[in-house]
Amino acid sequence: MPKNRNVFSSLLSRAASRVVHGLWRHAQRAGAVSAERPGPYAFRRIGEGTRLAFPQGTLFGTEWIELGACCVVGAEVTLTAGMMPDLDLGPDTVLRLGDGVVLGRGSHVVADGAGAGVTIGNDVFCGPYVYITSTNHSYDDPHQPIGRQWPRSAPVEIGAGSWLGTGAVVLPGARLGRNTVVAAGSVVRGEVPDHAVVAGAPAKVVRRWDPGEGWLPPLRTPPPVPVPEGVTGGQLAALARLGVPESGTAGVEAGRLDGAAGPGPAPPADREGSDDGMRTP
């Protein structure tokens, strides 16, 4: 008899698990925010193909927030304009995401208000738990609690094509150039030039692209080669079974597969590989 109860309990537990997971998937689909289904939020603009995953983080001041096309905003991401809800921030956009921006799960983008907004360029990718803010606590008065003192604010700009690793923090007044890389856990303030890699707290430039000499210091690994157009799953599996071709049959087979697929597109000039331990999502 106890055995029967165990079987029944196991079947009931499995059924309950399926129901819970099914309901959660339905909630995720129904609760996602897009231009066609903005939910309760009055964004100034949501571009075509943009989606905010459910559950969303804190969202307020959405009337002053613009989201470009084809953005991916992960679950529990906070987007705020103004220091608190229900403020009149004037006629201008305060927080702007360009096209193709990716914000990883749990990230925060906090824009203070007019004159201290946040602008994120096209194709900026952010890992999970990135924090970008144009406002920060001040501690000028040693006799007042820091949280009660008026904050300092300055606009933030992140250049197109940049990549911010997991847990990166971008402070007020930061201006990141085009195609910059911010290492995971770094704290960025001030100016960062185009095509630079920064790391540390505070972040410092550890690598830069020079038009005449390339990456300085040089990359220690070659750039990854994209899969050529036309390569089938079977061909990729055959290469995986062969391992890394060095010579002999493996090299011949790899050349045969490559020839069958054609030369494929060249990698973009601004997408150089690196060995800084950061990957796009």
Side-chain angles (χ1 to χ4, degrees):
M1 194 66 181
K3 182 178 180 180
N4 291 337
R5 282 202 300 269
N6 290 339
V7 171
F8 177 75
S9 175
S10 177
L11 291 174
L12 184 62
S13 176
R14 292 179 184 178
S17 177
R18 287 195 294 269
V19 169
V20 169
H21 282 276
L23 290 173
W24 180 245
R25 286 194 295 270
H26 175 75
Q28 287 178 310
R29 290 192 296 269
V33 170
S34 64
E36 296 77 22
R37 302 172 65 179
Y41 305 111
F43 284 94
R44 175 163 292 189
R45 173 177 174 255
I46 302 180
E48 183 180 359
T50 288
R51 183 181 178 94
L52 286 74
F54 178 86
Q56 291 85 37
T58 301
L59 300 176
F60 63 75
T62 52
E63 299 91 334
W64 291 273
I65 298 177
E66 290 188 28
L67 309 178
C70 301
C71 295
V72 178
V73 179
E76 300 176 355
V77 168
T78 288
L79 300 173
T80 64
M83 294 178 62
M84 61 187 69
D86 303 322
L87 296 178
D88 185 354
L89 303 178
D92 299 326
T93 297
V94 172
L95 196 167
R96 177 180 287 109
L97 270 61
D99 298 338
V101 171
V102 175
L103 296 177
R105 182 186 184 92
S107 293
H108 288 61
V109 184
V110 178
D112 186 5
V118 174
T119 302
I120 300 178
N122 296 339
D123 299 312
V124 170
F125 279 36
C126 298
Y129 307 106
V130 168
Y131 193 93
I132 302 168
T133 180
S134 65
T135 185
N136 203 359
H137 293 292
S138 62
Y139 49 89
D140 300 74
D141 188 343
H143 306 294
Q144 289 291 330
I146 293 172
R148 294 183 179 274
Q149 298 187 43
W150 196 257
R152 281 188 169 85
S153 301
V156 170
E157 296 182 14
I158 299 177
S162 295
W163 162 245
L164 282 65
T166 300
V169 176
V170 180
L171 295 177
R175 294 175 180 269
L176 281 67
R178 181 172 177 266
N179 276 42
T180 61
V181 175
V182 179
S186 299
V187 179
V188 184
R189 58 184 303 174
E191 300 273 346
V192 177
D194 293 349
H195 306 287
V197 179
V198 297
K204 298 181 180 179
V205 175
V206 296
R207 178 171 277 127
R208 287 192 65 178
W209 170 263
D210 181 271
E213 301 185 51
W215 285 106
L216 299 173
L219 299 175
R220 293 191 295 270
T221 57
V225 179
V227 176
E229 293 183 4
V231 172
T232 66
Q235 290 172 328
L236 289 175
L239 283 175
R241 287 193 296 269
L242 290 171
V244 179
E246 295 179 356
S247 60
T249 307
V252 172
E253 183 66 19
R256 186 181 301 119
L257 292 174
D258 185 59
D270 289 335
R271 303 285 184 177
E272 294 287 344
S274 77
D275 54 353
D276 299 289
M278 293 161 286
R279 295 176 180 268
T280 51

